[in-house]
Amino acid sequence: VILQAGNDGVPNIQTTDSRLTLQMDFPFTWLYALYGAQDYTDIRIDTQFTNRALTPSAAGLICRYSEETGWFEYNVLSDGTYNVLYGRWLSVGIAEYLPIKDGTSKEIQSSGTTQTIGLTCSDSTLWLYINDTLIRKVDVSSYDLTEGKIGLAASSFENTPIVIGFDSVTLSEP
């Protein structure tokens, strides 16, 4: 399932050689590739990706996604920062994002470099990883999200095009 927020333009989505490539040609666009086969309570998600655009952009992971109650989103930005958001749909294609945590990490690589990000959603804590290094634990006990879908996220900001290639996604028990 592919969902889009922020712009009505048609995204360029390709799968080639087991790689999912998300391209956004419009500014301020968010794309979500959700795995809709089942809901998860406690799960670890890891993805290897390459940001192939040299402009500001973000790649991320989603857990506990529900159209009705919202989701957690962990994004790594090409400027060396990261954020954790609580997202929820206000209407079709229009989402509201509440910041939970943000920061910087020397583990985040520049655009053009292949890197890995990971997210563990376990009980009331999110565990954030960059290149297999735990960078932060985030308490999310004040949010009533206990299960949901998992997925990938990609975002463009003011500059386009943005091209992010996801090479692999691994799911495991925390």
Side-chain angles (χ1 to χ4, degrees), residues 139-165:
D139 179 3
V140 291
S141 58
S142 61
Y143 300 87
D144 192 27
L145 298 179
T146 57
E147 69 176 13
K149 312 269 183 250
I150 56 97
L152 304 172
S155 306
S156 70
F157 300 114
E158 64 273 4
N159 300 320
T160 57
I162 300 300
V163 180
I164 298 176

Short mmCIF file of all heavy atoms in Angstrom, two decimals, residues 139-165:
data_model
loop_
_atom_site.label_atom_id
_atom_site.label_comp_id
_atom_site.label_asym_id
_atom_site.label_seq_id
_atom_site.Cartn_x
_atom_site.Cartn_y
_atom_site.Cartn_z
N ASP A 139 10.35 7.28 25.21
CA ASP A 139 9.15 6.85 25.93
C ASP A 139 7.92 7.37 25.18
O ASP A 139 7.77 8.56 24.96
CB ASP A 139 9.18 7.43 27.35
CG ASP A 139 7.95 7.05 28.16
OD1 ASP A 139 7.08 6.30 27.66
OD2 ASP A 139 7.86 7.52 29.31
N VAL A 140 7.06 6.44 24.77
CA VAL A 140 5.83 6.82 24.06
C VAL A 140 4.60 6.34 24.82
O VAL A 140 3.54 6.11 24.23
CB VAL A 140 5.84 6.29 22.60
CG1 VAL A 140 6.87 7.03 21.77
CG2 VAL A 140 6.06 4.78 22.55
N SER A 141 4.72 6.22 26.14
CA SER A 141 3.63 5.71 26.96
C SER A 141 2.41 6.63 26.96
O SER A 141 1.30 6.18 27.25
CB SER A 141 4.10 5.46 28.40
OG SER A 141 4.60 6.65 28.97
N SER A 142 2.59 7.90 26.62
CA SER A 142 1.44 8.81 26.62
C SER A 142 0.60 8.71 25.34
O SER A 142 -0.42 9.37 25.23
CB SER A 142 1.91 10.26 26.82
OG SER A 142 2.77 10.64 25.76
N TYR A 143 1.03 7.87 24.39
CA TYR A 143 0.28 7.65 23.16
C TYR A 143 -0.38 6.28 23.23
O TYR A 143 0.23 5.32 23.67
CB TYR A 143 1.20 7.73 21.94
CG TYR A 143 1.87 9.07 21.82
CD1 TYR A 143 3.07 9.32 22.47
CD2 TYR A 143 1.29 10.09 21.09
CE1 TYR A 143 3.68 10.56 22.39
CE2 TYR A 143 1.90 11.33 20.99
CZ TYR A 143 3.09 11.56 21.65
OH TYR A 143 3.69 12.78 21.57
N ASP A 144 -1.59 6.18 22.78
CA ASP A 144 -2.34 4.94 22.89
C ASP A 144 -2.23 4.11 21.61
O ASP A 144 -3.23 3.78 20.99
CB ASP A 144 -3.81 5.24 23.22
CG ASP A 144 -4.56 4.00 23.64
OD1 ASP A 144 -3.93 3.07 24.15
OD2 ASP A 144 -5.80 3.97 23.43
N LEU A 145 -0.98 3.82 21.21
CA LEU A 145 -0.75 2.98 20.04
C LEU A 145 -0.08 1.70 20.51
O LEU A 145 1.05 1.72 20.98
CB LEU A 145 0.15 3.69 19.02
CG LEU A 145 -0.37 4.98 18.43
CD1 LEU A 145 0.66 5.57 17.46
CD2 LEU A 145 -1.69 4.77 17.73
N THR A 146 -0.78 0.58 20.39
CA THR A 146 -0.24 -0.68 20.89
C THR A 146 0.06 -1.69 19.79
O THR A 146 0.82 -2.63 20.01
CB THR A 146 -1.21 -1.32 21.88
OG1 THR A 146 -2.48 -1.51 21.24
CG2 THR A 146 -1.39 -0.44 23.12
N GLU A 147 -0.53 -1.48 18.59
CA GLU A 147 -0.27 -2.39 17.48
C GLU A 147 -0.63 -1.69 16.18
O GLU A 147 -1.31 -0.67 16.17
CB GLU A 147 -1.06 -3.68 17.61
CG GLU A 147 -2.56 -3.52 17.43
CD GLU A 147 -3.29 -4.85 17.47
OE1 GLU A 147 -2.70 -5.87 17.86
OE2 GLU A 147 -4.46 -4.87 17.08
N GLY A 148 -0.13 -2.25 15.08
CA GLY A 148 -0.46 -1.70 13.78
C GLY A 148 0.49 -2.20 12.71
O GLY A 148 1.32 -3.08 12.93
N LYS A 149 0.36 -1.64 11.54
CA LYS A 149 1.18 -1.99 10.38
C LYS A 149 2.58 -1.37 10.52
O LYS A 149 2.80 -0.46 11.31
CB LYS A 149 0.53 -1.48 9.10
CG LYS A 149 -0.93 -1.79 8.95
CD LYS A 149 -1.14 -3.08 8.25
CE LYS A 149 -2.63 -3.34 8.04
NZ LYS A 149 -3.14 -4.41 8.86
N ILE A 150 3.49 -1.86 9.71
CA ILE A 150 4.84 -1.30 9.63
C ILE A 150 5.04 -0.77 8.22
O ILE A 150 4.29 -1.13 7.30
CB ILE A 150 5.94 -2.33 10.01
CG1 ILE A 150 5.85 -3.60 9.15
CG2 ILE A 150 5.81 -2.71 11.47
CD1 ILE A 150 6.76 -3.61 8.00
N GLY A 151 6.06 0.08 8.04
CA GLY A 151 6.29 0.60 6.71
C GLY A 151 7.53 1.45 6.60
O GLY A 151 8.28 1.64 7.56
N LEU A 152 7.72 1.95 5.38
CA LEU A 152 8.83 2.83 5.03
C LEU A 152 8.28 4.22 4.73
O LEU A 152 7.15 4.35 4.26
CB LEU A 152 9.56 2.31 3.78
CG LEU A 152 10.09 0.89 3.85
CD1 LEU A 152 10.59 0.46 2.47
CD2 LEU A 152 11.18 0.76 4.89
N ALA A 153 9.10 5.23 4.96
CA ALA A 153 8.69 6.61 4.69
C ALA A 153 9.79 7.32 3.92
O ALA A 153 10.98 7.05 4.11
CB ALA A 153 8.41 7.35 6.00
N ALA A 154 9.39 8.24 3.06
CA ALA A 154 10.33 9.11 2.35
C ALA A 154 9.68 10.47 2.23
O ALA A 154 8.47 10.57 2.02
CB ALA A 154 10.66 8.55 0.97
N SER A 155 10.49 11.53 2.38
CA SER A 155 9.95 12.88 2.37
C SER A 155 10.82 13.82 1.55
O SER A 155 12.04 13.75 1.62
CB SER A 155 9.87 13.44 3.79
OG SER A 155 9.16 12.60 4.63
N SER A 156 10.16 14.70 0.83
CA SER A 156 10.86 15.81 0.17
C SER A 156 10.55 17.08 0.93
O SER A 156 9.53 17.17 1.61
CB SER A 156 10.42 15.95 -1.29
OG SER A 156 9.10 16.42 -1.37
N PHE A 157 11.43 18.04 0.81
CA PHE A 157 11.19 19.35 1.41
C PHE A 157 11.11 20.36 0.28
O PHE A 157 10.45 20.08 -0.71
CB PHE A 157 12.27 19.65 2.45
CG PHE A 157 12.28 18.61 3.57
CD1 PHE A 157 13.35 17.76 3.74
CD2 PHE A 157 11.20 18.47 4.41
CE1 PHE A 157 13.35 16.80 4.73
CE2 PHE A 157 11.17 17.51 5.41
CZ PHE A 157 12.26 16.67 5.57
N GLU A 158 11.79 21.46 0.38
CA GLU A 158 11.64 22.51 -0.63
C GLU A 158 12.28 22.18 -1.97
O GLU A 158 11.87 22.69 -3.00
CB GLU A 158 12.15 23.86 -0.11
CG GLU A 158 13.63 23.90 0.18
CD GLU A 158 14.00 23.43 1.58
OE1 GLU A 158 13.12 22.98 2.34
OE2 GLU A 158 15.19 23.48 1.91
N ASN A 159 13.32 21.34 -1.99
CA ASN A 159 14.03 21.05 -3.24
C ASN A 159 13.67 19.67 -3.76
O ASN A 159 13.51 18.73 -2.99
CB ASN A 159 15.54 21.13 -3.02
CG ASN A 159 15.99 22.49 -2.56
OD1 ASN A 159 15.49 23.50 -3.05
ND2 ASN A 159 16.92 22.55 -1.63
N THR A 160 13.54 19.55 -5.05
CA THR A 160 13.24 18.27 -5.68
C THR A 160 14.08 18.13 -6.94
O THR A 160 14.62 19.11 -7.42
CB THR A 160 11.74 18.18 -6.06
OG1 THR A 160 11.41 19.26 -6.91
CG2 THR A 160 10.86 18.20 -4.83
N PRO A 161 14.21 16.97 -7.51
CA PRO A 161 13.59 15.70 -7.11
C PRO A 161 14.36 15.04 -5.96
O PRO A 161 15.54 15.29 -5.76
CB PRO A 161 13.68 14.85 -8.37
CG PRO A 161 14.93 15.33 -9.04
CD PRO A 161 15.00 16.82 -8.74
N ILE A 162 13.66 14.19 -5.25
CA ILE A 162 14.23 13.37 -4.18
C ILE A 162 14.11 11.92 -4.63
O ILE A 162 13.05 11.49 -5.07
CB ILE A 162 13.46 13.57 -2.86
CG1 ILE A 162 13.50 15.01 -2.42
CG2 ILE A 162 13.98 12.63 -1.78
CD1 ILE A 162 14.88 15.57 -2.18
N VAL A 163 15.20 11.17 -4.54
CA VAL A 163 15.20 9.76 -4.92
C VAL A 163 15.82 8.97 -3.78
O VAL A 163 16.99 9.18 -3.43
CB VAL A 163 16.00 9.53 -6.22
CG1 VAL A 163 15.96 8.05 -6.59
CG2 VAL A 163 15.47 10.39 -7.34
N ILE A 164 15.03 8.07 -3.18
CA ILE A 164 15.53 7.23 -2.10
C ILE A 164 15.28 5.79 -2.49
O ILE A 164 14.16 5.41 -2.81
CB ILE A 164 14.84 7.56 -0.76
CG1 ILE A 164 15.16 9.03 -0.38
CG2 ILE A 164 15.28 6.59 0.33
CD1 ILE A 164 14.50 9.51 0.85
N GLY A 165 16.35 4.99 -2.47
CA GLY A 165 16.27 3.58 -2.80
C GLY A 165 16.40 2.74 -1.55
O GLY A 165 17.40 2.84 -0.82
#
